[in-house]
Coordinates of all heavy atoms in Angstrom, one line a residue:
G1 N 0.1 6.2 5.0 CA -1.2 6.8 5.1 C -1.7 6.7 6.5 O -1.2 6.0 7.3
R2 N -2.8 7.5 6.7 CA -3.5 7.4 8.0 C -4.8 6.8 7.8 O -5.6 7.2 6.9 CB -3.7 8.8 8.5 CG -2.4 9.6 8.8 CD -2.7 10.9 9.4 NE -3.1 10.8 10.8 CZ -3.1 11.8 11.7 NH1 -2.8 13.0 11.3 NH2 -3.5 11.6 12.9
L3 N -5.1 5.7 8.6 CA -6.3 5.0 8.5 C -7.4 5.7 9.2 O -7.2 6.7 9.9 CB -6.1 3.6 9.0 CG -5.0 2.7 8.3 CD1 -5.0 1.3 8.9 CD2 -5.2 2.7 6.8
R4 N -8.6 5.2 9.1 CA -9.8 5.9 9.8 C -9.7 5.9 11.3 O -10.4 6.7 12.0 CB -11.1 5.2 9.4 CG -11.2 3.7 9.6 CD -12.5 3.1 9.1 NE -12.6 1.7 9.3 CZ -12.0 0.8 8.6 NH1 -11.3 1.1 7.5 NH2 -12.1 -0.5 8.9
D5 N -8.8 5.0 11.9 CA -8.6 5.1 13.3 C -7.5 6.0 13.7 O -7.0 6.0 14.8 CB -8.3 3.7 13.9 CG -7.0 3.1 13.3 OD1 -6.4 3.7 12.4 OD2 -6.6 2.0 13.7
K6 N -7.0 6.8 12.7 CA -6.0 7.8 12.9 C -4.5 7.2 13.0 O -3.6 8.0 13.2 CB -6.2 8.8 14.1 CG -7.6 9.4 14.1 CD -7.9 10.2 12.8 CE -9.3 10.8 12.9 NZ -9.6 11.5 11.6
S7 N -4.4 5.9 12.9 CA -3.1 5.3 13.0 C -2.3 5.5 11.6 O -2.9 5.6 10.6 CB -3.2 3.8 13.3 OG -3.9 3.1 12.3
R8 N -1.0 5.7 11.7 CA -0.2 5.8 10.6 C 0.4 4.5 10.2 O 1.0 3.8 11.1 CB 0.9 6.8 10.8 CG 0.4 8.2 11.2 CD 1.6 9.2 11.5 NE 1.1 10.6 11.7 CZ 0.8 11.1 12.8 NH1 0.8 10.4 13.9 NH2 0.4 12.4 12.9
R9 N 0.3 4.1 8.9 CA 0.8 2.8 8.5 C 1.5 2.9 7.2 O 1.2 3.8 6.4 CB -0.4 1.8 8.3 CG -1.3 1.6 9.5 CD -0.8 0.8 10.6 NE -1.8 0.6 11.7 CZ -2.6 -0.5 11.7 NH1 -2.5 -1.5 10.8 NH2 -3.5 -0.6 12.7
V10 N 2.4 1.9 7.0 CA 3.0 1.7 5.6 C 1.9 0.9 4.8 O 1.5 -0.2 5.2 CB 4.3 0.9 5.7 CG1 4.7 0.6 4.2 CG2 5.4 1.7 6.4
L11 N 1.4 1.5 3.8 CA 0.3 0.9 3.0 C 0.7 0.2 1.8 O 0.1 -0.8 1.4 CB -0.7 2.0 2.6 CG -1.4 2.8 3.7 CD1 -2.3 3.9 3.2 CD2 -2.1 1.9 4.7
E12 N 1.9 0.6 1.2 CA 2.3 -0.1 0.0 C 3.8 0.2 -0.2 O 4.3 1.2 0.1 CB 1.5 0.4 -1.2 CG 1.7 -0.4 -2.5 CD 0.8 0.0 -3.6 OE1 -0.4 0.4 -3.3 OE2 1.2 0.1 -4.7
I13 N 4.5 -0.8 -0.8 CA 5.9 -0.7 -1.2 C 5.9 -1.2 -2.6 O 5.5 -2.3 -2.9 CB 6.9 -1.5 -0.3 CG1 6.8 -1.0 1.1 CG2 8.3 -1.3 -0.8 CD1 7.6 -1.8 2.1
R14 N 6.4 -0.3 -3.5 CA 6.5 -0.7 -4.9 C 8.0 -0.5 -5.4 O 8.7 0.4 -5.0 CB 5.7 0.2 -5.8 CG 4.2 -0.1 -5.8 CD 3.5 0.6 -6.9 NE 2.1 0.6 -6.8 CZ 1.2 0.9 -7.8 NH1 1.7 1.3 -9.0 NH2 -0.1 0.9 -7.6
E15 N 8.3 -1.4 -6.3 CA 9.6 -1.3 -7.0 C 9.4 -0.6 -8.4 O 8.5 -1.0 -9.1 CB 10.3 -2.7 -7.2 CG 11.6 -2.6 -7.9 CD 12.1 -4.0 -8.3 OE1 11.3 -4.9 -8.3 OE2 13.3 -4.1 -8.7
V16 N 10.2 0.3 -8.7 CA 10.1 0.9 -10.0 C 11.1 0.1 -10.9 O 12.3 0.1 -10.7 CB 10.6 2.4 -10.0 CG1 10.5 3.0 -11.4 CG2 9.7 3.2 -9.1
T17 N 10.5 -0.7 -11.8 CA 11.3 -1.7 -12.6 C 11.9 -1.1 -13.9 O 12.8 -1.7 -14.5 CB 10.5 -2.9 -12.8 OG1 9.3 -2.6 -13.5 CG2 10.1 -3.6 -11.5
G18 N 11.4 0.0 -14.4 CA 11.9 0.5 -15.6 C 10.9 1.3 -16.4 O 9.8 1.7 -15.8
Y19 N 11.2 1.5 -17.6 CA 10.3 2.3 -18.5 C 9.9 1.4 -19.7 O 10.8 0.8 -20.4 CB 11.1 3.5 -19.0 CG 10.3 4.4 -20.0 CD1 9.3 5.2 -19.7 CD2 10.7 4.3 -21.4 CE1 8.6 5.9 -20.6 CE2 10.0 5.0 -22.3 CZ 9.0 5.9 -22.0 OH 8.3 6.6 -22.9
D20 N 8.7 1.4 -20.0 CA 8.1 0.6 -21.2 C 8.1 1.5 -22.4 O 7.3 2.4 -22.5 CB 6.8 0.0 -20.8 CG 6.3 -0.9 -21.9 OD1 6.7 -0.8 -23.1 OD2 5.4 -1.8 -21.6
Y21 N 9.0 1.2 -23.4 CA 9.0 2.1 -24.6 C 7.8 2.0 -25.4 O 7.4 2.9 -26.1 CB 10.3 1.7 -25.4 CG 11.5 2.3 -24.9 CD1 12.3 1.6 -23.9 CD2 12.0 3.5 -25.3 CE1 13.4 2.1 -23.4 CE2 13.2 4.0 -24.8 CZ 13.9 3.3 -23.8 OH 15.1 3.9 -23.3
E22 N 7.1 0.8 -25.4 CA 5.9 0.7 -26.2 C 4.7 1.5 -25.7 O 4.1 2.2 -26.4 CB 5.5 -0.8 -26.3 CG 6.5 -1.7 -27.1 CD 6.0 -3.1 -27.3 OE1 4.9 -3.4 -26.8 OE2 6.8 -3.9 -27.8
S23 N 4.5 1.4 -24.4 CA 3.3 2.1 -23.8 C 3.7 3.5 -23.4 O 2.8 4.3 -23.2 CB 2.8 1.3 -22.6 OG 3.8 1.3 -21.6
G24 N 5.0 3.8 -23.2 CA 5.4 5.1 -22.7 C 5.2 5.3 -21.3 O 5.1 6.5 -20.8
E25 N 5.0 4.2 -20.5 CA 4.7 4.3 -19.1 C 5.8 3.8 -18.2 O 6.6 3.0 -18.6 CB 3.4 3.5 -18.8 CG 2.2 3.9 -19.5 CD 1.6 5.3 -19.0 OE1 1.9 5.7 -17.9 OE2 0.9 5.9 -19.8
I26 N 5.9 4.4 -17.0 CA 6.8 3.9 -16.0 C 6.2 2.6 -15.4 O 5.1 2.5 -15.1 CB 7.0 4.9 -14.8 CG1 7.6 6.2 -15.4 CG2 7.9 4.3 -13.7 CD1 7.6 7.3 -14.3
V27 N 7.1 1.5 -15.4 CA 6.6 0.2 -14.9 C 7.0 0.0 -13.5 O 8.1 0.3 -13.1 CB 7.3 -0.9 -15.8 CG1 6.7 -2.3 -15.4 CG2 7.0 -0.7 -17.3
T28 N 6.0 -0.4 -12.7 CA 6.2 -0.7 -11.3 C 5.7 -2.0 -10.9 O 4.9 -2.6 -11.6 CB 5.5 0.4 -10.4 OG1 4.1 0.3 -10.5 CG2 6.0 1.8 -10.7
S29 N 6.2 -2.5 -9.8 CA 5.8 -3.8 -9.3 C 5.5 -3.7 -7.8 O 6.4 -3.3 -7.0 CB 6.9 -4.9 -9.6 OG 6.6 -6.1 -9.0
V30 N 4.3 -4.2 -7.4 CA 4.0 -4.1 -6.0 C 4.7 -5.2 -5.2 O 4.6 -6.4 -5.6 CB 2.4 -4.3 -5.8 CG1 2.1 -4.3 -4.3 CG2 1.7 -3.2 -6.5
L31 N 5.5 -4.8 -4.2 CA 6.2 -5.8 -3.4 C 5.4 -6.2 -2.1 O 5.3 -7.3 -1.7 CB 7.6 -5.2 -3.0 CG 8.5 -4.8 -4.2 CD1 9.8 -4.3 -3.6 CD2 8.7 -5.9 -5.1
Y32 N 4.9 -5.1 -1.4 CA 4.1 -5.3 -0.2 C 2.9 -4.4 -0.3 O 2.9 -3.3 -0.8 CB 4.9 -5.0 1.1 CG 5.9 -6.0 1.4 CD1 7.2 -5.8 1.0 CD2 5.7 -7.1 2.2 CE1 8.2 -6.7 1.3 CE2 6.6 -8.0 2.6 CZ 7.9 -7.8 2.1 OH 8.9 -8.7 2.5
E33 N 1.8 -4.9 0.2 CA 0.5 -4.2 0.2 C -0.2 -4.4 1.5 O -0.4 -5.5 2.0 CB -0.4 -4.6 -1.0 CG -1.6 -3.7 -1.1 CD -2.4 -4.1 -2.4 OE1 -2.2 -5.3 -2.9 OE2 -3.2 -3.3 -2.8
F34 N -0.7 -3.3 2.1 CA -1.5 -3.4 3.4 C -2.9 -3.8 3.1 O -3.6 -3.2 2.3 CB -1.5 -2.1 4.2 CG -2.2 -2.1 5.5 CD1 -1.6 -2.6 6.6 CD2 -3.6 -1.7 5.5 CE1 -2.3 -2.7 7.8 CE2 -4.3 -1.7 6.7 CZ -3.7 -2.2 7.9
L35 N -3.4 -4.9 3.7 CA -4.8 -5.3 3.6 C -5.4 -5.4 4.9 O -4.9 -6.0 5.9 CB -4.8 -6.7 2.9 CG -4.3 -6.7 1.4 CD1 -4.3 -8.2 0.9 CD2 -5.1 -5.8 0.5
E36 N -6.6 -4.9 5.0 CA -7.4 -5.0 6.3 C -8.0 -6.3 6.4 O -8.4 -7.0 5.4 CB -8.5 -3.9 6.3 CG -8.0 -2.5 6.4 CD -9.1 -1.5 6.6 OE1 -10.1 -1.9 7.2 OE2 -8.9 -0.3 6.3
D37 N -8.2 -6.8 7.7 CA -8.9 -8.0 7.9 C -10.4 -7.9 8.1 O -11.1 -8.8 8.3 CB -8.3 -8.7 9.2 CG -6.9 -9.1 9.0 OD1 -6.4 -9.2 7.9 OD2 -6.2 -9.3 10.0
G38 N -10.8 -6.6 8.0 CA -12.3 -6.3 8.2 C -12.7 -6.3 9.6 O -13.9 -6.3 9.9
K39 N -11.8 -6.3 10.5 CA -12.1 -6.3 12.0 C -11.5 -5.1 12.7 O -10.6 -4.4 12.1 CB -11.6 -7.6 12.6 CG -12.2 -8.9 12.0 CD -11.6 -10.1 12.7 CE -12.1 -11.4 12.0 NZ -11.4 -12.6 12.6
Q40 N -12.0 -4.8 13.8 CA -11.4 -3.8 14.7 C -11.1 -4.4 16.1 O -11.9 -5.1 16.6 CB -12.3 -2.6 14.8 CG -12.3 -1.7 13.5 CD -12.9 -0.3 13.8 OE1 -13.6 -0.1 14.7 NE2 -12.5 0.6 12.9
K41 N -10.0 -4.0 16.7 CA -9.7 -4.4 18.0 C -9.4 -3.2 18.8 O -8.5 -2.4 18.6 CB -8.4 -5.3 18.0 CG -8.1 -5.9 19.3 CD -6.9 -6.9 19.2 CE -6.6 -7.5 20.6 NZ -5.4 -8.4 20.5
E42 N -10.3 -2.9 19.8 CA -10.1 -1.8 20.7 C -10.2 -0.5 19.9 O -9.4 0.5 20.1 CB -8.9 -1.8 21.6 CG -8.9 -3.0 22.5 CD -7.6 -3.2 23.3 OE1 -6.6 -2.4 23.0 OE2 -7.5 -4.0 24.2
G43 N -11.0 -0.4 18.8 CA -11.2 0.7 18.0 C -10.1 0.9 17.0 O -10.0 1.9 16.3
R44 N -9.2 0.0 16.9 CA -8.0 0.1 15.9 C -8.2 -0.9 14.8 O -8.7 -2.0 14.9 CB -6.7 -0.3 16.7 CG -5.5 0.0 15.9 CD -4.3 -0.3 16.8 NE -3.0 -0.2 16.0 CZ -2.3 0.9 15.8 NH1 -2.8 2.1 16.3 NH2 -1.2 0.9 15.1
V45 N -7.9 -0.4 13.6 CA -8.1 -1.2 12.4 C -7.1 -2.3 12.4 O -5.9 -2.2 12.7 CB -7.8 -0.3 11.1 CG1 -7.8 -1.2 9.9 CG2 -8.9 0.8 11.0
V46 N -7.6 -3.5 12.1 CA -6.7 -4.7 12.1 C -6.4 -5.1 10.6 O -7.2 -5.1 9.8 CB -7.4 -5.9 12.7 CG1 -6.6 -7.2 12.7 CG2 -7.8 -5.6 14.2

């Protein structure tokens, strides 16, 4: 995705672990997730 500072980042990586027959949904698991620190350095999202 592109953040508000126009930089391109990997925001999330998910593993598709399978299919749940009971719910009928595709099951995924978050492996990595981008989190902001709430700060900016030289106009760039940290």
Side-chain angles (χ1 to χ4, degrees):
R2 299 184 73 168
L3 303 182
R4 57 186 179 277
D5 62 355
K6 309 301 181 182
S7 63
R8 298 175 174 91
R9 307 282 185 96
V10 175
L11 299 181
E12 193 175 321
I13 299 175
R14 283 196 193 191
E15 180 192 14
V16 180
T17 57
Y19 174 77
D20 188 334
Y21 282 87
E22 291 186 5
S23 66
E25 300 289 338
I26 298 171
V27 183
T28 64
S29 173
V30 179
L31 305 179
Y32 288 91
E33 186 178 19
F34 180 84
L35 297 175
E36 292 187 27
D37 293 342
K39 302 177 182 177
Q40 283 195 341
K41 186 178 179 181
E42 299 176 352
R44 190 174 173 87
V45 173
V46 178

